[in-house]
Amino acid sequence: SLWLDMAGKTEENTTSRDVAVTPRGLGSGVASISTGGEIVCAVASGEVRCWSWRELTDDLDLSYSWKPALVPTAVPGLPAGLKTVSVAHYAWQPTTEDRGLQQTGWACATGDGQAWCWGDNHAGQLGDGTTADRREPVQVTAGDVAQLTVNWGTALALLRDGSVVTWGDGDPATRSPFGFALAPAQPAGTGFRE
């Protein structure tokens, strides 16, 4: 088992548990798991399944462009055979509205050298050349991806040739050391191999 809900709410359960349980619908063969904020994704038998620790439907969650179910549910639009998934939580203070702190989630999955990302794209972190949110995954043209990790508004990919590309973090408040790119680019001035 790989799940422990610290709040005592697992799926429809409202009683406290002090043991790990496997979420209904996850299946077996879990190869990768990641959590960001209130969203969890896992790759099980080559399929990416995501769920949330709570129902993302109240007014505070209006900014979530992608709202996973309470139980592990397959992400539509992804190819079979994916190997890894990475999830991030992102929060920012909008300057044009007085709505308080906004929070969102986004994720990327990899397999066979490909990268796919979906969810919030406030900082260009999906790597598709835009800042448009995507409810369904878009393929990122990053090169031959060996590993990928995401955090806040930035994605970093290690390519199989040993080089690194990054994208996202168009939010000036986060001040990423990697700069800003709407599509994968080699980080400037970091000493990564060209």
Side-chain angles (χ1 to χ4, degrees):
S1 295
L2 52 91
W3 174 261
L4 177 61
D5 183 355
M6 302 305 278
K9 297 181 198 171
T10 302
E11 299 167 0
E12 298 169 2
N13 175 38
T14 57
T15 61
S16 178
R17 288 187 183 207
D18 59 357
V19 297
V21 297
T22 300
R24 182 179 64 237
L26 183 56
S28 61
V30 175
S32 174
I33 191 163
S34 179
T35 182
E38 298 164 335
I39 297 171
V40 181
C41 291
V43 178
S45 301
E47 181 178 64
V48 177
R49 296 182 166 270
C50 298
W51 66 101
S52 178
W53 295 15
R54 67 180 180 89
E55 195 168 9
L56 299 174
T57 59
D58 60 43
D59 289 342
L60 294 175
D61 299 317
L62 290 176
S63 59
Y64 274 90
S65 61
W66 164 57
K67 298 180 181 185
L70 289 173
V71 295
T73 305
V75 176
L78 286 173
L82 294 171
K83 308 269 189 269
T84 67
V85 66
S86 187
V87 181
H89 176 261
Y90 190 76
W92 78 96
Q93 180 72 41
T95 57
T96 58
E97 301 176 28
D98 186 21
R99 292 182 58 194
L101 188 66
Q102 301 296 294
Q103 57 182 337
T104 62
W106 63 289
C108 294
T110 63
D112 297 324
Q114 299 178 355
W116 297 79
C117 298
W118 64 97
D120 176 69
N121 199 20
H122 174 77
Q125 66 266 33
L126 299 186
D128 65 351
T130 75
T131 56
D133 296 343
R134 305 289 182 187
R135 291 180 187 267
E136 293 189 10
V138 292
Q139 187 171 6
V140 181
T141 308
D144 195 7
V145 176
Q147 288 182 306
L148 185 135
T149 188
V150 300
N151 190 18
W152 285 93
T154 303
L156 285 165
L158 172 64
L159 305 184
R160 290 194 178 142
D161 68 3
S163 62
V164 173
V165 294
T166 184
W167 59 91
D169 224 342
D171 184 348
T174 59
R175 296 187 187 94
S176 169
F178 303 113
F180 169 61
L182 287 174
Q186 187 173 26
T190 58
F192 290 116
R193 183 168 52 141
E194 292 182 328

